Structures are given as C-alpha cells and as structure tokens.
Amino acid sequence: MTGCPVHFDLLDPAIQADPHAAYAALRQHAPVHRLDRPPMWLVTRHAEVEAVLRDAATFASDLGMDVPIMSMVMKDAPDHTRLRGTVNKAFTPRAIQHLAPRITAIAEQLADALPERAEMVEGFANPLSVTVICEMLGVPLDQRDAQRDAMNRYARDALLAGFAATGMGPPELLAEARIGLDALMRILDAAIEDHLAHPRDDILGTLVQEEARGTLTRVELRNLCALLLIGGHETTANLIASGLNWLARDAALFARLRAEPDLIPRFVEELARLLPPLQRIARRTTRPVTLGGTALPEGAMLMLFPGAANRDEARWPDADKLDLARDNRGHLGFGTGIHTCPGGPLARLEARIAFEALLARLDGITLDPARKPQPIVGYAAGNLGWNTLPLLLRKRMRPVMVEDVFGALCALVAETLEIDAEDITAGTNARTTPEWDSLGHMRILAAVEKRFGVKLPRLAAYRVKDVGELAALIETTQSQAGA
C-alpha cells in the first residue's frame, strides 16, 4: 500500500512537534507507506513495527553507514551481541535499584530550588538526567549550572552529529555538532584514563574491565560511553518534560496522582506508551519480504514509528487516552527484541522519582501564559520532547511532621481538658483520663480541626483510642489534603 491522502514530511516542523494526527492517517490509509524523499518506507501500525523489531535476521540494524557513536544501535549479530553483553553487565536491575536513594536526593534538591515561574527543562529535567547518567558512568560533573548545561549541549551535539552522519542533515549541521561531540569525547577520554589509574565500581569501571579482557576495543569503549550518556540523558529528560506538559494541561490527573502517588509508575508507563521519547527507528531489509501486505525489496530502508504503533486502536481501545488502569504491556516505548533499550528501567525509575518529588512539593502546575513552550524540532526531532517548558508552579505548604503534630496535640489536649501536659503520652485516652469524656472528646476534635486546619473524617475521628492514634490521623489527613 503506497497511497496516502495526507501530507507527511519528516522535516515538517509542525509534524515533528505534534505527529499524532499524521500518524493516525498513515495507520489508517497507508500503514507501510513509500516516501520518495528521502527514499524509505514508513511503518506505523503496532503489528508491523513489532514484527520488524523482533526479526533481526530480516530487518537489519546495520544500515551500511559509518556512524561511530551509534555503534551498538546500528550493529547486528555477532557485534551487537558482544557489545550488548558488556552493557548488560553494567545495567543490571540490582545496580539500577541501588541508584534510587541518590536519584531521590538529586530530584529533591532540584525540586526545592525551583521558583514559582520555572523553565522545567533547563531547571529540572535536564540537570536531573545528566547528573544521574554522568555519576553512573563515573564522569566527573561539577554541580554548577554552567557545567551541567555544557554537558547537556555536548550530549545534544553528539546526537545531532550522529543524525547528520546518516546523511539526513546538511554538512554544516555535522560541522557544528562535531564541536560539541569532540568536547564530549575529550571528557570521556579523561574519565577512561582516570578509571584505568583508579579502578571504581561504576558503569565506566565495568566497561574498562571489558576492554582489559579484550571484549571491547578502545574505540568501541569511547563510542559506547558516548551512546550511553546520550541515551541516558535525552530519553529520560524528554520523558519527564512530556509528563510535566501533560500534567500542566490536566489538573484532575495532577490532583489524582498527588492524592494517590502509588499510581505514578502507571502514569510513567502510559507516558512511555503515548509519548515515547524515541520516535524513529531505522531498519534495512536483508531479503525481499512482504510487510503489512506490501512487498519490499532487499535493501529497502524502513523508518519505524513506535509513537504511532503505541496509539494503534487495533492494539488498545481509546489508544490516544492516558488510562491509568490500562494493561499497556507490549507497548514499544523502549523498543522490543534484541535492541530493547537497556536504559528503560533507569528511565522509568528516574521519571517515577522525579514526579514523586514534584508532586510532594506542588499544589498544581500550569503553562506559563507569558512564555510559549518550544518543542524539539529540526534535525533532533527523532526525539519527542521539549527544548523549553515554562510553567507556573503553585508551591505546596509543608505538612507538619508526625513529631510536631504529637507535641502540638499534647499541648492542645492539655489546654482543652485543663490537665497537665507532662502527664500526656501517646497512650493517654478516655480510660486513663477522667476529663476525657464524650463531651471532652468532641471538644478535642473541634480544637484539633481549628488548630491544624484540617477536616477530620468523622467516623475515624470518633473511633480514635488515644493521643497517638489521633496524631497519626491528623498527619494522614494533612498529607491527603496537601495541607
């Protein structure tokens, strides 16, 4: 099928910024669509995209182009198997989960520093992701904003250089991006030499050991490090920014996630389905093959769109809707098959912690009417996300912690019942305190609601047995209400 009644241009900034209407038209009218310039086939339905990703023998990742920093991404077996094996040793589930406390500390520090009018890409998403991946790799990163911004630019330039090297961009783009790529490589070279002199237990340390064993060459080691830094930074930052943009437009969802933070992992998974940061995956046919009813010759270049596949109504009903109850297993937000993104678990963990940190500190977020957000377009538009995302943040009042509640409650009970505060403990109750009769209980509850600014749930408030239980109920009610 080659006819398509809608305009589709890979370089159209409007489509790059919001491709989903065009994706829907392609899925409906031309799920395997021939594009003349550049010459390739566009694949948009879930069944065909998944089939291509799972058949590495028929659909090769090696496009016949020399793009060094995309070494592992654009390789097939046996080279891909060897390179992927080294990365898998570093990105174990156990290693990723051990990062949670450090990621939390970074996210909370950045969240605490946000002003009420904040640019969330530069002020939160980028510094979080670049700091985490640099620390994982063992690459020194000064916490100063200027140095973190420089690393962000170098990573973006390296990505652009890889894109331009495929022939999809003009020579001047490659020349400009090469400056940042060279700077990034100098930083990585210094980190590699430092790890050789002073071995450490981090991702770079693991990869350096693989070079010593002869599994990797030095060139492969350098390119792998660059690829991991680019992927670990760009993917996560774009996922977080896309989620913030969604929440800024959906106050009800923001309120629900704040009230039920256990739903945040489901939110992150739906984001990865609906707005996968990586929008384009290239493959090349190794033999004549029929895909989605369309005959493809050997050597045909394919462009897969996981963002289109993930909204396929044939795979998920109401696929454009963000549904926290959805069974979204099988989405292609992090790919599938032998090239599944090794950093997917890290991106999920970082995004979950990022939203937890922000939701704990904010009553709400909205788009800043004075500054328009800028989506990623141009030659970096293989990624879906935001260059800038200005938001207005409504800071959340800090809840009184349990210890403070208990002390204040003891004083309040003593004052209300006209007894000595020193005699009150967590176990003080109506049985041990004659003054705490039914009327006294009602007076205490009224004083609590006035003092702490909460509306206690009636049944639970009547049933509390002692001061300790009442303090816990106050703290829980405050947390749920965002007081």
PDB file of all heavy atoms in Angstrom, residues 129-130 133 227-237 346 350:
ATOM      1  N   SER A 129      18.618  14.355  34.729  1.00  0.00           N
ATOM      2  CA  SER A 129      19.046  13.209  33.919  1.00  0.00           C
ATOM      3  C   SER A 129      20.538  13.238  33.616  1.00  0.00           C
ATOM      4  O   SER A 129      21.209  12.204  33.654  1.00  0.00           O
ATOM      5  CB  SER A 129      18.244  13.155  32.619  1.00  0.00           C
ATOM      6  OG  SER A 129      18.443  14.312  31.840  1.00  0.00           O
ATOM      7  N   VAL A 130      21.091  14.416  33.339  1.00  0.00           N
ATOM      8  CA  VAL A 130      22.516  14.463  33.003  1.00  0.00           C
ATOM      9  C   VAL A 130      23.370  14.194  34.232  1.00  0.00           C
ATOM     10  O   VAL A 130      24.428  13.550  34.148  1.00  0.00           O
ATOM     11  CB  VAL A 130      22.884  15.814  32.342  1.00  0.00           C
ATOM     12  CG1 VAL A 130      23.030  16.938  33.351  1.00  0.00           C
ATOM     13  CG2 VAL A 130      24.171  15.665  31.532  1.00  0.00           C
ATOM     14  N   ILE A 133      23.196  10.214  34.887  1.00  0.00           N
ATOM     15  CA  ILE A 133      23.949   9.366  33.961  1.00  0.00           C
ATOM     16  C   ILE A 133      25.450   9.628  34.070  1.00  0.00           C
ATOM     17  O   ILE A 133      26.259   8.710  33.949  1.00  0.00           O
ATOM     18  CB  ILE A 133      23.444   9.546  32.504  1.00  0.00           C
ATOM     19  CG1 ILE A 133      24.008   8.428  31.619  1.00  0.00           C
ATOM     20  CG2 ILE A 133      23.798  10.901  31.955  1.00  0.00           C
ATOM     21  CD1 ILE A 133      23.608   7.024  32.012  1.00  0.00           C
ATOM     22  N   LEU A 227      27.343   6.893  23.643  1.00  0.00           N
ATOM     23  CA  LEU A 227      25.976   6.453  23.366  1.00  0.00           C
ATOM     24  C   LEU A 227      25.163   6.341  24.646  1.00  0.00           C
ATOM     25  O   LEU A 227      23.996   6.769  24.705  1.00  0.00           O
ATOM     26  CB  LEU A 227      26.009   5.102  22.646  1.00  0.00           C
ATOM     27  CG  LEU A 227      24.651   4.466  22.333  1.00  0.00           C
ATOM     28  CD1 LEU A 227      23.838   5.355  21.396  1.00  0.00           C
ATOM     29  CD2 LEU A 227      24.842   3.078  21.730  1.00  0.00           C
ATOM     30  N   LEU A 228      25.755   5.771  25.701  1.00  0.00           N
ATOM     31  CA  LEU A 228      25.038   5.619  26.969  1.00  0.00           C
ATOM     32  C   LEU A 228      24.728   6.975  27.587  1.00  0.00           C
ATOM     33  O   LEU A 228      23.653   7.173  28.167  1.00  0.00           O
ATOM     34  CB  LEU A 228      25.864   4.766  27.934  1.00  0.00           C
ATOM     35  CG  LEU A 228      26.024   3.300  27.541  1.00  0.00           C
ATOM     36  CD1 LEU A 228      26.967   2.590  28.508  1.00  0.00           C
ATOM     37  CD2 LEU A 228      24.682   2.594  27.493  1.00  0.00           C
ATOM     38  N   LEU A 229      25.669   7.911  27.479  1.00  0.00           N
ATOM     39  CA  LEU A 229      25.422   9.238  28.041  1.00  0.00           C
ATOM     40  C   LEU A 229      24.297   9.939  27.280  1.00  0.00           C
ATOM     41  O   LEU A 229      23.384  10.521  27.890  1.00  0.00           O
ATOM     42  CB  LEU A 229      26.699  10.071  27.996  1.00  0.00           C
ATOM     43  CG  LEU A 229      26.678  11.359  28.822  1.00  0.00           C
ATOM     44  CD1 LEU A 229      28.071  11.691  29.337  1.00  0.00           C
ATOM     45  CD2 LEU A 229      26.151  12.542  28.006  1.00  0.00           C
ATOM     46  N   ILE A 230      24.331   9.849  25.944  1.00  0.00           N
ATOM     47  CA  ILE A 230      23.286  10.491  25.141  1.00  0.00           C
ATOM     48  C   ILE A 230      21.931   9.862  25.444  1.00  0.00           C
ATOM     49  O   ILE A 230      20.948  10.552  25.739  1.00  0.00           O
ATOM     50  CB  ILE A 230      23.608  10.359  23.646  1.00  0.00           C
ATOM     51  CG1 ILE A 230      24.898  11.105  23.298  1.00  0.00           C
ATOM     52  CG2 ILE A 230      22.448  10.888  22.811  1.00  0.00           C
ATOM     53  CD1 ILE A 230      25.434  10.761  21.925  1.00  0.00           C
ATOM     54  N   GLY A 231      21.892   8.518  25.361  1.00  0.00           N
ATOM     55  CA  GLY A 231      20.625   7.828  25.577  1.00  0.00           C
ATOM     56  C   GLY A 231      20.097   7.992  26.987  1.00  0.00           C
ATOM     57  O   GLY A 231      18.903   8.232  27.201  1.00  0.00           O
ATOM     58  N   GLY A 232      20.991   7.884  27.974  1.00  0.00           N
ATOM     59  CA  GLY A 232      20.574   8.001  29.359  1.00  0.00           C
ATOM     60  C   GLY A 232      20.096   9.383  29.721  1.00  0.00           C
ATOM     61  O   GLY A 232      19.244   9.555  30.602  1.00  0.00           O
ATOM     62  N   HIS A 233      20.609  10.382  29.034  1.00  0.00           N
ATOM     63  CA  HIS A 233      20.217  11.757  29.318  1.00  0.00           C
ATOM     64  C   HIS A 233      18.975  12.157  28.527  1.00  0.00           C
ATOM     65  O   HIS A 233      17.950  12.524  29.099  1.00  0.00           O
ATOM     66  CB  HIS A 233      21.382  12.690  28.992  1.00  0.00           C
ATOM     67  CG  HIS A 233      21.007  14.135  28.945  1.00  0.00           C
ATOM     68  ND1 HIS A 233      20.157  14.712  29.861  1.00  0.00           N
ATOM     69  CD2 HIS A 233      21.349  15.125  28.073  1.00  0.00           C
ATOM     70  CE1 HIS A 233      20.005  16.002  29.578  1.00  0.00           C
ATOM     71  NE2 HIS A 233      20.700  16.260  28.482  1.00  0.00           N
ATOM     72  N   GLU A 234      19.056  12.073  27.202  1.00  0.00           N
ATOM     73  CA  GLU A 234      17.983  12.583  26.350  1.00  0.00           C
ATOM     74  C   GLU A 234      16.664  11.858  26.594  1.00  0.00           C
ATOM     75  O   GLU A 234      15.604  12.487  26.706  1.00  0.00           O
ATOM     76  CB  GLU A 234      18.395  12.447  24.873  1.00  0.00           C
ATOM     77  CG  GLU A 234      19.452  13.428  24.427  1.00  0.00           C
ATOM     78  CD  GLU A 234      18.882  14.815  24.178  1.00  0.00           C
ATOM     79  OE1 GLU A 234      17.670  14.928  23.895  1.00  0.00           O
ATOM     80  OE2 GLU A 234      19.642  15.788  24.261  1.00  0.00           O
ATOM     81  N   THR A 235      16.715  10.537  26.654  1.00  0.00           N
ATOM     82  CA  THR A 235      15.475   9.764  26.801  1.00  0.00           C
ATOM     83  C   THR A 235      14.736  10.148  28.069  1.00  0.00           C
ATOM     84  O   THR A 235      13.524  10.422  28.062  1.00  0.00           O
ATOM     85  CB  THR A 235      15.795   8.256  26.809  1.00  0.00           C
ATOM     86  OG1 THR A 235      16.403   7.900  25.566  1.00  0.00           O
ATOM     87  CG2 THR A 235      14.537   7.435  27.007  1.00  0.00           C
ATOM     88  N   THR A 236      15.452  10.181  29.187  1.00  0.00           N
ATOM     89  CA  THR A 236      14.807  10.455  30.471  1.00  0.00           C
ATOM     90  C   THR A 236      14.328  11.896  30.568  1.00  0.00           C
ATOM     91  O   THR A 236      13.202  12.158  31.029  1.00  0.00           O
ATOM     92  CB  THR A 236      15.780  10.142  31.616  1.00  0.00           C
ATOM     93  OG1 THR A 236      16.235   8.795  31.485  1.00  0.00           O
ATOM     94  CG2 THR A 236      15.111  10.319  32.954  1.00  0.00           C
ATOM     95  N   ALA A 237      15.152  12.841  30.148  1.00  0.00           N
ATOM     96  CA  ALA A 237      14.756  14.250  30.221  1.00  0.00           C
ATOM     97  C   ALA A 237      13.505  14.510  29.392  1.00  0.00           C
ATOM     98  O   ALA A 237      12.594  15.234  29.819  1.00  0.00           O
ATOM     99  CB  ALA A 237      15.906  15.141  29.757  1.00  0.00           C
ATOM    100  N   LEU A 346      16.118   2.361  33.981  1.00  0.00           N
ATOM    101  CA  LEU A 346      16.637   3.586  34.583  1.00  0.00           C
ATOM    102  C   LEU A 346      15.723   4.761  34.283  1.00  0.00           C
ATOM    103  O   LEU A 346      15.427   5.581  35.165  1.00  0.00           O
ATOM    104  CB  LEU A 346      18.043   3.870  34.059  1.00  0.00           C
ATOM    105  CG  LEU A 346      18.666   5.199  34.501  1.00  0.00           C
ATOM    106  CD1 LEU A 346      18.838   5.241  36.009  1.00  0.00           C
ATOM    107  CD2 LEU A 346      20.004   5.426  33.797  1.00  0.00           C
ATOM    108  N   GLU A 350      13.949   6.989  37.171  1.00  0.00           N
ATOM    109  CA  GLU A 350      14.169   8.433  37.279  1.00  0.00           C
ATOM    110  C   GLU A 350      12.866   9.218  37.130  1.00  0.00           C
ATOM    111  O   GLU A 350      12.610  10.170  37.886  1.00  0.00           O
ATOM    112  CB  GLU A 350      15.154   8.895  36.207  1.00  0.00           C
ATOM    113  CG  GLU A 350      16.604   8.632  36.537  1.00  0.00           C
ATOM    114  CD  GLU A 350      17.521   9.307  35.541  1.00  0.00           C
ATOM    115  OE1 GLU A 350      17.540  10.553  35.486  1.00  0.00           O
ATOM    116  OE2 GLU A 350      18.214   8.584  34.806  1.00  0.00           O
TER     117      GLU A 350
END
